Every structure is written in structure tokens, then in C-alpha cells.
Amino acid sequence: GAGMTTSSALCSNHVMRSGRHIAVFTILARRGSMAGIGVVRPVKIDKSDFVGDDLTFDPERMPKFLEYLRGKKTDKWGDSNVHCCTVNNYGSFCWHDLTGGDHHSGKSQIGLLLDLNEGTLSIHKDGRRIALKDNLTGEYCWYATVNHRASVSIQRG
């Protein structure tokens, strides 16, 4: 909305190429705030390619960012067309070919298990798996995005 600042961060210096990777994200979100976490292709971003808040993982702006990612594709990405997987503080998850989830607010812990041996990303909330995405190949890195009323911390699982 108007007057809301959104920021995003990529852990592009920690590229995951194979094996199993677990991260637990703790999200603290006030009512009406937004935070998102997930995996995305590791890319060097030229900020001059974006205007204002266009460089964010906000779902409303995601199509522009996904188009940007497609333009940065390398052979290291493998055969998968899954470039970004997101789960937000409401428990909704998305990628370009699947959406769904439930809604809540407050403090939550969400675990992500990226298994590049199996090509899957499992999303866990409150000790149960809420989603599984397959067909992930190549390189990914963790990311987080928040607006001014939310915060995210990450730890290894």
C-alpha cells in the first residue's frame, strides 16, 4: 500500500548446488504486514534495471522479477523452469505453476528443506509439511523480503 517500504535480500554468496539444505525462518509480523521467504536462482542484480520498489519478491511485482531472472539464465540452472519458490507469513506459498495455502498472522517458524538430490523443496510449518514442490534442478539460494512492519531471521536447521 501507499507509504509502505519493502526490502528484499538474497543470500547469493551461499549457493546451493547439490545435497540437502535446511533453514528455519522465524517471522515476526504485525497485523497487515508482509514477509516472504524461499529460494531463488542466484544472480548478480543490477539495481539500475529496476525502478522504485520493483526489486522485490512481492507477488504483485514478481512477474517482472521472474522475467529478469529468465534473462540471467545459465547452464548451471539445469533443466527446471522453477526459478523462485515463496512462502509468506500467512502460510500461502507460490511458484509460477502452483498457488495455495492457509492464512494466519503473528510469530511463526517456517522450515524449508531444499533437497537437490531429489529435486524437491518441502515447506514445514508448526511441525507439519504444508507443501512439496518438485522439479528443482541447478543452483538456488535463500532469500527473504519484508515490509516495514515485519522482520525475518534465519538459522540452519
Side-chain angles (χ1 to χ4, degrees), residues 49-117:
D49 291 339
F50 295 89
V51 177
D53 280 344
D54 281 345
L55 180 54
T56 180
F57 296 95
D58 181 330
E60 292 177 5
R61 297 179 188 98
M62 186 60 81
K64 182 173 182 171
F65 186 74
L66 288 176
E67 188 60 35
Y68 184 78
L69 281 177
R70 283 187 208 85
K72 301 284 187 177
K73 184 174 171 107
T74 72
D75 290 340
K76 293 179 180 180
W77 290 10
D79 297 332
S80 174
N81 66 351
V82 179
H83 301 303
C84 183
C85 297
T86 302
V87 61
N88 68 22
N89 57 299
Y90 300 109
S92 296
F93 45 89
C94 64
W95 27 81
H96 75 284
D97 60 353
L98 179 66
T99 61
D102 57 2
H103 296 275
H104 80 283
S105 62
K107 183 176 180 179
S108 59
Q109 284 192 329
I110 298 174
L112 300 180
L113 168 58
L114 178 63
D115 188 336
L116 290 171
N117 296 333

